[in-house]
Amino acid sequence: MMTTMSRMFKQLPWVLLIMVLVGLKVWEETQYAPVTPSPEPSADWETLVEPRWQPDGYNDGDSFKIAHADGVQELRLYFVDCPEKRLHQYNEERLEDQGRDFGGRSVEQMIELGERGRDFTEALLTSRPFEVHTRWEPVFKSRRRYIMVRVTEADGKQRFLSEILVREGLARIHTLGVDLPDGTKRAAFEKHLREIEAEAKREKRGAWGLAK
């Protein structure tokens, strides 16, 4: 009996440490950093200085907060749309529409894919160098602003996050497009995305590999 009690007391600090770490993780993910007012929309691209991923419970694959030298912004990718990561009373039709665009997948499958998209984007932007380019164009009338994010992948090449998500089968080609910061025209980039999407379908990546 005493041996068992002694063992339990020895393990107690580790159990408490694990509980504290889990608590800190939950706290971090649910902290909603206040958003800095954005500049007025511009025809010219601006590159955010020292961008970094800002944890937030509302972040998902295509829409997330980024901290930078001048504050914190809530941002959304041009060109692509990741599925919703949870179902609520206002988004079931959107999830159904996303499922149709992914070849007839279910709402449940879209939610699963939305979670994967969120985790993928967070893992990428917390492990690889990236740039954020914006013209401060608002998403409808919200405080979110459209962006292009260019990521340096493991092979050393820079690619836009929009194309990476389509390549992985985690986003559909949907929403506003724009001429890119590197001078690539919108139509040319959309054509490129369609080619990447066709490859993702052939390779059954992401949504394209889910059973119907």
Side-chain angles (χ1 to χ4, degrees):
M1 181 68 174
M2 291 300 295
T3 302
T4 302
M5 291 294 292
S6 176
R7 189 179 301 117
M8 289 176 61
F9 279 115
K10 286 182 179 179
Q11 292 175 344
L12 186 59
W14 290 106
V15 173
L16 291 174
L17 177 60
I18 291 170
M19 290 175 65
V20 169
L21 291 174
V22 170
L24 285 173
K25 179 64 174 176
V26 172
W27 178 84
E28 178 187 60
E29 290 179 349
T30 55
Q31 293 309 293
Y32 306 131
V35 174
T36 307
S38 299
E40 290 297 311
S42 170
D44 299 321
W45 287 98
E46 178 180 340
T47 302
L48 300 188
V49 177
E50 299 177 357
R52 58 196 181 279
W53 178 264
Q54 174 63 52
D56 190 285
Y58 288 114
N59 286 345
D60 59 25
D62 60 42
S63 182
F64 39 81
K65 284 182 178 177
I66 292 291
H68 59 105
D70 295 320
V72 175
Q73 255 69 43
E74 190 172 354
L75 305 167
R76 195 204 191 288
L77 295 176
Y78 281 108
F79 289 102
V80 298
D81 178 49
C82 291
E84 307 297 303
K85 64 180 184 294
R86 62 175 64 94
L87 174 65
H88 55 71
Q89 59 180 326
Y90 302 112
N91 71 351
E92 185 169 6
E93 289 187 5
R94 183 174 179 83
L95 281 160
E96 291 172 348
D97 183 59
Q98 291 167 336
R100 281 190 293 271
D101 278 358
F102 276 116
R105 269 67 185 189
S106 69
V107 166
E108 292 74 20
Q109 287 174 317
M110 289 299 96
I111 294 171
E112 174 194 341
L113 195 75
E115 293 173 346
R116 288 170 59 183
R118 173 201 59 199
D119 294 345
F120 179 89
T121 293
E122 179 176 1
L124 192 64
L125 298 189
T126 54
S127 65
R128 304 300 310 172
F130 67 94
E131 302 168 354
V132 177
H133 307 277
T134 184
R135 303 189 310 165
W136 303 111
E137 183 173 7
V139 181
F140 300 110
K141 294 182 179 180
S142 73
R143 64 185 183 181
R144 292 185 298 165
R145 296 294 182 264
Y146 279 112
I147 53 168
M148 293 297 294
V149 176
R150 186 152 43 190
V151 183
T152 302
E153 291 198 274
D155 62 3
K157 294 183 179 180
Q158 286 190 320
R159 297 181 181 88
F160 288 106
L161 180 56
S162 299
E163 64 184 306
I164 295 171
L165 289 167
V166 171
R167 182 192 71 197
E168 299 300 320
L170 298 173
R172 61 177 175 164
I173 303 167
H174 182 87
T175 202
L176 192 66
V178 68
D179 293 344
L180 303 190
D182 64 4
T184 303
K185 296 298 183 183
R186 178 183 65 186
F189 190 68
E190 287 178 350
K191 181 175 182 292
H192 173 60
L193 290 177
R194 295 293 174 192
E195 293 169 350
I196 292 174
E197 183 180 64
E199 179 184 340
K201 289 180 183 180
R202 289 193 303 271
E203 299 295 327
K204 299 188 183 301
R205 299 190 194 119
W208 309 110
L210 297 175
K212 292 186 182 180

